[in-house]
Amino acid sequence: MDTQSATRKLAELHDYVRHSFNLFFGWFTFFAGVNCASMGWLAKPDPDAP
């Protein structure tokens, strides 16, 4: 294995790992936002309460 091939494989691995982490954090942010929004909606005071 020459240096150019090793460098290319390392770059591909780096791109794959970076893409995987971006997907993970993107979905985590989305679901955390939906979770916080739903908790805020459920915690609002009841307008029909006396």
Side-chain angles (χ1 to χ4, degrees):
M1 180 186 301
D2 59 346
T3 307
Q4 187 177 9
S5 177
T7 303
R8 183 177 53 81
K9 287 185 184 214
L10 187 62
E12 288 177 2
L13 180 64
H14 172 74
D15 289 340
Y16 174 74
V17 171
R18 185 179 53 178
H19 181 69
S20 296
F21 273 108
N22 280 338
L23 281 175
F24 173 75
F25 285 119
W27 280 108
F28 178 80
T29 303
F30 171 74
F31 283 112
V34 169
N35 193 18
C36 289
S38 63
M39 286 190 303
W41 180 72
L42 290 172
K44 69 180 180 187
D46 187 17
D48 297 331

